[in-house]
Amino acid sequence: MDDIERIKKAKKEWEEKILKPHIEKHPERMERFSTISDHEIKEIYTPEDIADLDYMRDLGFPGEYPFTRGIYPNMYRGRLWTMRQFAGFGTAVETNQRYHYLLQQGQTGLSVAFDMPTIMGVDSDDPRATGEVGKCGVAIDTLADMETLFKGIPLDKVTTSMTINAPAAILWAMYIVVAEKQGVPSNKIGGTIQNDILKEYIAQKSWIYPPEPSMRIIRDIVAYASEHVPRWNTISISGYHIREAGSTAVQELAFTIMDGISYVDYFTREGLDVDSFAPRLSFFFDAHMDFFEEIAKFRAARRMWAKIMKERFKAKNPASWLMRFHTQTAGCSLTAQQPYNNIIRTAIEALSAVLGGTQSLHTNSMDETYALPTEEAVTIALRTQQIIAYESGIPNTIDPLGGSYFIEKLTNEMEEKAWEYINKIEEMGGMLRAIELGYPQKEIQDAAYHYQLQVEKGEKIIVGVNKYVIDEDVPIPILKIPDDLEKKQKERLAKVKRDRNNAKVKEALKLLREAAEDYSENLMPYIINAVREYATEGEIINTLKEAFGEYRDPAYF
Amino acid sequence: MPEEKVRILIAKPGLDGHDRGAKIIARALKEAGFEVIYTGLHQTPEQIVNAAIQEDVDAIGLSILSGAHNTLMPAVIKLLREKGADDIIVFGGGIIPDDDIPFLKSQGVAEIFTPGTPVSETIEWVKKHVKPRHKRK
Amino acid sequence: MDSSLIEKILSGDDVATARALRMIDDELPEAREILKKIYPYTGKAHIIGITGAPGAGKSTLVSKLIELYRKKSLKVGVIAVDPTSPFTGGAILGDRIRMQSHSTDPEVFIRSVATRGHLGGLSKSAWEMVKVLDAMGKEKIIVETVGVGQDEVEIIGLAHTSVVVLVPGLGDDIQAIKAGILEIADIFVVNKADRPEANRLVKEIEFMLEMAGIKDKEWQPPVIKTIATKGEGIEELAVAIDNHFEYLKKSGKLKEKIRMQLEKEFENTITSLIKEKIYRKIQEKMESLISKMENGEVDPITLGEKITRELLKEEEK
């Protein structure tokens, strides 16, 4: 205490005698310094700022509660993070080739990007899919596409992440059946489905059914995995899309953790034992441009989740307390102007993810404001991670910024502000209620608008956009998805529909429809059954829509 | 006394849910004094055009990030023409490569705003180019 | 006036109708010409007002009502009012979003309207807009009010049947009832009725109705529970709406309403005509008149009297 008092006094003196006169002569660049989330930052942080920090209580050791410094005892000294580049475009044929290429380049896990029709549960031959087939990712309509997608890739050797939400059960079922056909039993496959519907209502907006039946499907997935696919991460609770929709770092943290609380709360109320599923929950965050804010966010997230799982949900298995997370660098931070600069942005963001202790990482490619990345651009993005991993020396010690006055203070501030949001949402009656009231949606929109105004006023600088602007033609090659791919995919689908046993498809869908009406029934076996008969994704979705209805955009302003 | 507001429909055709840009534009237009009709996500060209006609808007702003702009934007314009409402100005924004802009303009899209365009620039363009339809002739 | 525009409106054409509504909303001189010509064709539609706090689910309820009316092959018009920002004059009109499933139905016409500074829950143009929808052949015309304040009493004047939508647990239950909503409602809807507090809210409304003595009158406002998102209770609501209209016709109350509306329309026309005339006359002098008042040379009342008197004298000659 004495020490703190001494520093306090000295700081005051320094401010008066040294800092102030200096500023008078050399004014500061801005009146107010703040993070990209507009969180105010002081000129210097000292032991005074973390006077209340209790090392063992607040930080501890890596691999030990509350895991602020990392979830594994030796972190990257043992195993580096998984370098997982999200990829998919065109039909399964093209994407399968890209996967083989990425695995040859030293990528250690696969990550499937689906096209919009697949994400929305619309088949490629549906008029609503026109112009969108294979554009943002790979088009998957039936099991046949999934078989092609993983051709020559042994599913007991790689883990696969699938960015799919409302129709997650269907795509996951396809994966399980493909593995089975390769001779790999379901308890030997590993990977992740995003399967986080709450953030869809909040931010990403790729929903299909209303919240209640959507939660039920997730329950069914989680329960099925606990029994049959134990190595699968059943939900990737995602802050990424919340952030990309324009939220602040604190909002990303708070809403994501609140989503996590809502899932655990719901599953336990449905009778699942918390330790049976909690170790398979994982998280997914954004790594944005404000370096320290992001690192603080990751550290705060781990600490908060550990507390929640241990203290609130009384999980006994320490594996349930761990927040394992994937990170993707911020797509929304990339600029169309001077696209080479995006390589630098991505490198800084990736660095914050590594310093924040991520378990896996996707680095964006420089051309992604234009289109899906070219092979060359993806390679640079992957190399960025490899340079950090092997050349920078950063992974050689654990949580190297731990103990920094600034980082610890910022970590505490992130946590405090996130709790304020969480408490507020709890008071409203939980996340589903808050979503219904449009609360998180409005908070995010306000933040996005506020940031946009700051950029336009020049209070926030984006190099090449509102400063150091040059006239240029796009200097980089852009990946073009040939328009005939849509035709090809429709032909593939038509062939599957011709060759399958339509009576069996009908029967499988009928059974699924009946199961949907019975809330206590687990839908997974019925979906797997339908998928095996080559029922299309759209057919399965439409069958479930009949039972569950459709969700519509409440569009809050 | 009589006011003549400019009415603009902001629409999100296509299957993706990325409405950050559409909502920022809607809000900025409101702040600039426009009446903005917002139709929500996942709109088909038919829905957009019918809404535009019933609302008697002076312009339609389309936000597309799914890569389907070459299909969706011309579809909207074709429908407007068929319904005799091709005096409604169509502009667009989103992830649209420079290479596609000449094609879209040849189809009748009045202006395309690519990523990074300041909102103020879009608003200024609307102020300058969009007048009430019944006043234009 | 282009007579084909009138013909097109009367034949139910969307483009012509939309244009006419715009002229009304913008208060263009042509608007009165249109209204005069279509007037003989109005008076057939049943006008239903929907009011209630934001988040009560008004738009979703309207969408479900449209769905039900369409199943009965009734033609539907909707006027959805949203507020204009008093600071910028702009507005975001988002009520359509929840009604988008009807946007390709040729027999449904939906128009979003901004208040443009008009108070009372409606736009100034709403009355005349309803006339146009009526003339174009819509049988059920639903008017959704802004739903921000609790003084949205104008809807009683415009609608034949006014529906007040309440939601349990929004804290607006008793408050709203106190604030005079009781007098507005011909029908109460307790939406989101799957919430635990729903039954309590129903009881509270019934109790308040009894206290106010409304229960003893000829028409007793029913309290209907709905879950608009699932379409539950909509059929009952539609029946209640029709019952109320029948009651109005049989009891002679409809005639009373029409009388009142005519009086109001007459009054509105006169007021705006005189106002327009005066303003047209003083338009150029406006700045100097204001500075006169600013300098204390004359007060606004005396000046107003003087100018009106002059105008009326001129008219006499």
Side-chain angles (χ1 to χ4, degrees):
Chain A
M1 275 299 119
D2 257 11
D3 216 24
I4 298 286
E5 284 306 316
R6 214 154 42 80
I7 292 167
K8 220 179 201 171
K9 211 172 135 228
K11 190 184 167 211
K12 214 162 216 153
E13 262 176 18
W14 169 79
E15 279 171 353
E16 294 293 324
K17 292 189 186 143
I18 313 268
L19 183 64
K20 235 190 208 164
H22 183 82
I23 289 176
E24 271 158 26
K25 262 195 240 156
H26 312 280
E28 293 191 321
R29 287 180 289 117
M30 287 182 270
E31 264 178 42
R32 179 175 168 272
F33 289 79
S34 69
T35 66
I36 200 165
S37 306
D38 212 22
H39 180 83
E40 194 161 354
I41 297 295
K42 297 195 289 185
E43 65 280 319
I44 195 167
Y45 291 78
T46 68
E48 190 191 332
D49 292 294
I50 52 167
D52 296 335
L53 190 86
D54 176 332
Y55 184 85
M56 287 313 296
R57 182 195 65 198
D58 300 329
L59 303 180
F61 289 95
E64 242 179 47
Y65 187 85
F67 306 101
T68 313
R69 307 202 67 179
I71 58 166
Y72 299 125
N74 62 347
M75 286 304 287
Y76 306 135
R77 287 167 69 98
R79 213 172 65 87
L80 288 164
W81 63 92
T82 304
M83 298 177 193
R84 199 189 287 280
Q85 295 296 93
F86 180 53
F89 62 97
T91 72
V93 178
E94 286 81 23
T95 303
N96 176 259
Q97 284 164 6
R98 176 68 70 90
Y99 289 168
H100 281 285
Y101 172 82
L102 286 170
L103 291 171
Q104 280 159 19
Q105 294 306 308
Q107 177 166 304
T108 45
L110 293 176
S111 177
V112 188
F114 296 100
D115 68 356
M116 277 318 301
T118 307
I119 287 171
M120 290 303 291
V122 169
D123 284 340
S124 299
D125 57 2
D126 188 303
R128 286 175 297 161
T130 311
E132 305 208 30
V133 176
K135 283 278 160 68
C136 296
V138 60
I140 302 290
D141 291 312
T142 67
L143 178 63
D145 295 324
M146 204 64 135
E147 288 165 359
T148 307
L149 189 64
F150 291 103
K151 204 170 169 190
I153 299 169
L155 296 189
D156 52 348
K157 299 275 175 0
V158 295
T159 59
T160 303
S161 168
M162 292 192 271
T163 300
I164 192 78
N165 293 280
I170 302 165
L171 278 304
W172 188 46
M174 288 181 187
Y175 192 87
I176 292 169
V177 177
V178 170
E180 183 188 286
K181 290 194 169 185
Q182 280 189 4
V184 181
S186 66
N187 62 8
K188 289 267 161 18
I189 57 171
T192 306
I193 40 178
Q194 198 163 75
N195 197 27
D196 170 15
I197 202 69
L198 290 175
K199 67 93 174 48
E200 296 297 336
Y201 300 119
I202 297 171
Q204 170 91 340
K205 298 166 187 178
S206 297
W207 52 63
I208 296 176
Y209 323 109
E212 290 81 9
S214 297
M215 291 294 276
R216 177 235 172 139
I217 299 173
I218 296 171
R219 174 203 70 181
D220 293 350
I221 292 171
V222 168
Y224 189 85
S226 302
E227 206 172 320
H228 303 284
V229 202
R231 291 178 55 211
W232 204 273
N233 297 312
T234 46
I235 314 179
S236 170
I237 305 159
S238 305
Y240 186 81
H241 318 84
I242 292 172
R243 193 67 183 280
E244 292 288 306
S247 85
T248 64
V250 168
Q251 286 167 351
E252 179 192 1
L253 176 61
F255 297 158
T256 308
I257 288 195
M258 191 62 220
D259 286 348
I261 292 174
S262 310
Y263 289 121
V264 176
D265 203 37
Y266 172 68
F267 301 148
T268 48
R269 273 189 288 117
E270 288 292 308
L272 299 177
D273 171 36
V274 64
D275 286 314
S276 79
F277 65 84
R280 302 318 300 174
L281 297 178
S282 62
F283 285 79
F284 173 23
F285 288 110
D286 199 293
H288 215 302
M289 272 311 288
D290 203 292
F291 189 65
F292 295 111
E293 184 173 52
E294 294 304 277
I295 297 167
K297 177 185 79 185
F298 297 127
R299 298 173 84 247
R302 263 194 305 271
R303 185 160 73 199
M304 290 173 77
W305 189 245
K307 284 187 204 166
I308 289 163
M309 293 311 291
K310 188 171 179 222
E311 287 163 24
R312 173 168 175 172
F313 291 110
K314 312 282 180 221
K316 295 197 179 57
N317 181 356
S320 301
W321 307 338
L322 298 184
M323 171 184 270
R324 295 171 303 129
F325 67 89
H326 172 69
T327 308
Q328 180 170 340
T329 56
C332 65
S333 71
L334 303 186
T335 66
Q337 295 79 357
Q338 306 174 38
Y340 287 113
N341 296 346
N342 292 332
I343 300 174
I344 322 299
R345 292 192 177 96
T346 298
I348 293 170
E349 292 166 351
L351 212 52
S352 76
V354 171
L355 286 165
T358 193
Q359 274 58 63
S360 60
L361 180 59
H362 167 104
T363 33
N364 289 324
S365 303
M366 61 170 159
D367 51 356
E368 289 188 65
T369 60
Y370 289 102
L372 291 180
T374 62
E375 206 158 89
E376 190 198 11
V378 174
T379 309
I380 295 173
L382 178 60
R383 297 288 181 255
T384 306
Q385 294 197 40
Q386 290 163 337
I387 291 167
I388 294 173
Y390 299 105
E391 296 184 26
S392 73
I394 285 165
N396 296 347
T397 188
I398 302 158
D399 187 31
L401 294 179
S404 143
Y405 308 124
F406 178 39
I407 280 292
E408 296 301 352
K409 176 66 177 171
L410 202 51
T411 305
N412 290 346
E413 285 175 344
M414 290 276 130
E415 179 170 351
E416 277 161 35
K417 296 219 150 137
W419 281 121
E420 281 171 24
Y421 266 121
I422 289 172
N423 292 336
K424 193 159 182 186
I425 293 169
E426 301 257 35
E427 274 166 31
M428 288 178 184
M431 195 46 126
L432 281 175
R433 183 81 183 105
I435 288 169
E436 199 189 337
L437 293 171
Y439 175 71
Q441 299 95 309
K442 273 187 252 179
E443 286 293 302
I444 294 167
Q445 268 163 41
D446 285 347
Y449 195 68
H450 179 68
Y451 175 70
Q452 187 65 36
L453 291 183
Q454 286 185 314
V455 171
E456 307 228 337
K457 284 187 218 145
E459 288 170 15
K460 295 284 177 209
I461 302 297
I462 303 172
V463 172
V465 174
N466 61 355
K467 205 164 191 173
Y468 311 114
V469 180
I470 52 167
D471 252 339
E472 59 174 349
D473 291 327
V474 179
I476 51 170
I478 304 294
L479 183 79
K480 279 263 173 212
I481 310 288
D483 281 330
D484 67 334
L485 280 183
E486 187 161 320
K487 205 172 132 242
K488 268 200 224 160
Q489 180 62 20
K490 282 186 189 167
E491 283 164 8
R492 285 172 62 93
L493 177 57
K495 185 172 183 308
V496 172
K497 281 185 176 173
R498 266 199 313 275
D499 296 349
R500 68 185 184 179
N501 183 334
N502 278 312
K504 281 191 168 176
V505 173
K506 227 173 161 183
E507 176 61 18
L509 293 176
K510 189 175 147 267
L511 292 173
L512 175 64
R513 177 76 174 78
E514 285 163 13
E517 294 295 342
D518 181 355
Y519 182 78
S520 61
E521 198 61 74
N522 190 316
L523 291 175
M524 275 316 295
Y526 299 93
I527 294 174
I528 290 175
N529 185 32
V531 157
R532 196 175 272 133
E533 298 300 341
Y534 294 89
T536 70
E537 188 204 15
E539 287 166 343
I540 297 173
I541 292 281
N542 290 337
T543 303
L544 291 175
K545 263 190 202 169
E546 282 171 27
F548 297 151
E550 264 182 272
Y551 186 75
R552 298 222 173 266
D553 184 7
Y556 292 99
F557 279 94
Chain B
M1 279 290 95
E3 302 181 72
E4 284 173 36
K5 291 277 178 200
V6 172
R7 288 166 66 88
I8 308 220
L9 185 92
I10 296 294
K12 257 303 295 114
L15 294 169
D16 70 292
H18 302 104
D19 59 1
R20 177 176 176 173
K23 284 189 162 169
I24 285 180
I25 288 291
R27 195 154 158 181
L29 283 168
K30 174 193 172 186
E31 304 286 308
F34 292 92
E35 281 183 4
V36 182
I37 292 95
Y38 186 74
T39 56
L41 292 166
H42 312 142
Q43 297 297 299
T44 64
E46 289 80 8
Q47 287 177 315
I48 292 168
V49 168
N50 279 14
I53 287 174
Q54 293 191 346
E55 297 292 353
D56 196 48
V57 297
D58 305 303
I60 301 174
L62 296 170
S63 167
I64 306 180
L65 292 94
S66 67
H69 46 268
N70 285 345
T71 314
L72 293 169
M73 287 187 180
V76 167
I77 287 170
K78 188 167 160 268
L79 280 167
L80 284 173
R81 218 167 269 154
E82 281 171 19
K83 307 214 167 185
D86 49 347
D87 54 336
I88 297 177
I89 295 168
V90 177
F91 62 98
I95 301 187
I96 296 164
D98 285 350
D99 289 357
D100 291 342
I101 295 175
F103 167 73
L104 293 171
K105 288 199 166 170
S106 78
Q107 294 294 302
V109 179
E111 193 56 89
I112 294 287
F113 299 98
T114 50
T117 309
V119 174
S120 51
E121 195 179 311
T122 309
I123 304 298
E124 280 313 310
W125 183 89
V126 174
K127 277 186 183 163
K128 193 165 163 216
H129 292 90
V130 183
K131 304 284 174 226
R133 282 160 76 202
H134 53 275
K135 282 264 147 171
R136 269 185 231 152
K137 282 154 207 167
Chain C
M1 174 51 41
D2 180 5
S3 65
S4 73
L5 186 75
I6 304 294
E7 275 164 37
K8 281 182 188 162
I9 294 170
L10 295 178
S11 72
D13 180 71
D14 274 8
V15 178
T17 304
R19 178 55 47 87
L21 297 183
R22 178 69 172 276
M23 288 171 172
I24 290 169
D25 214 17
D26 287 355
E27 299 181 50
L28 302 186
E30 299 98 302
R32 258 197 303 269
E33 295 306 312
I34 296 171
L35 285 164
K36 275 195 266 183
K37 298 232 169 65
I38 62 164
Y39 213 93
Y41 305 94
T42 62
K44 295 182 294 258
H46 179 193
I47 300 158
I48 302 151
I50 307 270
T51 187
K58 293 190 295 291
S59 300
T60 310
L61 204 67
V62 170
S63 181
K64 295 290 170 179
L65 271 177
I66 302 174
E67 198 176 307
L68 192 130
Y69 288 145
R70 290 302 300 135
K71 275 190 197 141
K72 298 179 176 169
S73 302
L74 291 164
K75 296 174 185 170
V76 188
V78 177
I79 301 278
V81 190
D82 269 328
T84 295
S85 158
F87 304 106
T88 67
I92 292 179
L93 313 173
D95 290 326
R96 272 195 96 88
I97 298 163
R98 287 168 206 84
M99 306 174 196
Q100 272 303 75
S101 45
H102 309 290
S103 62
T104 51
D105 181 341
E107 303 299 353
V108 178
F109 190 103
I110 302 167
R111 181 60 167 251
S112 316
V113 189
T115 53
R116 299 193 181 177
H118 188 78
L119 301 173
L122 296 172
S123 68
K124 191 172 169 228
S125 53
W127 273 264
E128 294 165 343
M129 286 189 163
V130 164
K131 293 274 179 246
V132 180
L133 296 185
D134 189 347
M136 86 181 286
K138 300 301 180 208
E139 293 152 287
K140 296 278 182 188
I141 299 173
I142 305 174
V143 180
E144 185 187 323
T145 72
V146 174
V148 280
Q150 287 162 344
D151 52 350
E152 305 205 337
V153 289
E154 277 209 326
I155 193 69
I156 326 177
L158 174 59
H160 299 129
T161 305
S162 296
V163 180
V164 171
V165 188
L166 298 170
V167 199
L170 265 191
D172 67 349
D173 17 31
I174 292 292
Q175 284 296 0
I177 295 168
K178 275 186 195 155
I181 269 185
L182 209 57
E183 285 74 30
I184 298 178
D186 299 312
I187 295 164
F188 281 99
V189 165
V190 171
N191 192 26
K192 306 189 186 182
D194 46 352
R195 293 224 185 114
E197 314 91 320
N199 285 330
R200 212 196 58 199
L201 178 57
V202 171
K203 288 219 170 68
E204 276 167 4
I205 298 166
E206 284 171 349
F207 177 69
M208 297 297 281
L209 286 171
E210 220 159 290
M211 293 294 288
I214 288 176
K215 280 231 140 179
D216 307 326
K217 293 192 181 159
E218 289 168 73
W219 173 260
Q220 302 188 353
V223 185
I224 292 163
K225 290 202 280 182
T226 61
I227 306 169
T229 48
K230 294 181 185 163
E232 286 175 29
I234 303 299
E235 185 77 54
E236 291 87 330
L237 173 60
V239 169
I241 290 173
D242 284 347
N243 286 346
H244 181 257
F245 199 39
E246 284 308 308
Y247 155 76
L248 286 180
K249 285 186 207 161
K250 279 190 193 142
S251 64
K253 289 264 159 61
L254 189 61
K255 273 196 176 152
E256 260 174 55
K257 277 211 176 224
I258 292 168
R259 263 185 75 94
M260 272 161 57
Q261 273 186 8
L262 287 170
E263 196 184 325
K264 190 171 162 52
E265 281 165 33
F266 179 61
E267 182 196 311
N268 283 352
T269 311
I270 289 178
T271 320
S272 56
L273 277 173
I274 293 178
K275 203 166 152 191
E276 261 172 47
K277 275 219 164 118
I278 292 178
Y279 270 80
R280 210 178 303 135
K281 208 173 143 237
I282 60 171
Q283 214 167 26
E284 278 157 28
K285 293 191 283 182
M286 201 59 173
E287 277 305 308
S288 72
L289 291 176
I290 291 174
S291 23
K292 268 188 190 169
M293 291 186 276
E294 252 180 346
N295 302 337
E297 290 171 43
V298 64
D299 67 274
I301 300 134
T302 312
L303 186 62
E305 277 178 351
K306 183 169 166 269
I307 285 175
T308 316
R309 214 180 303 131
E310 278 169 13
L311 178 92
L312 290 174
K313 259 187 206 158
E314 260 171 53
E315 290 286 315
E316 272 170 29
K317 285 174 201 166

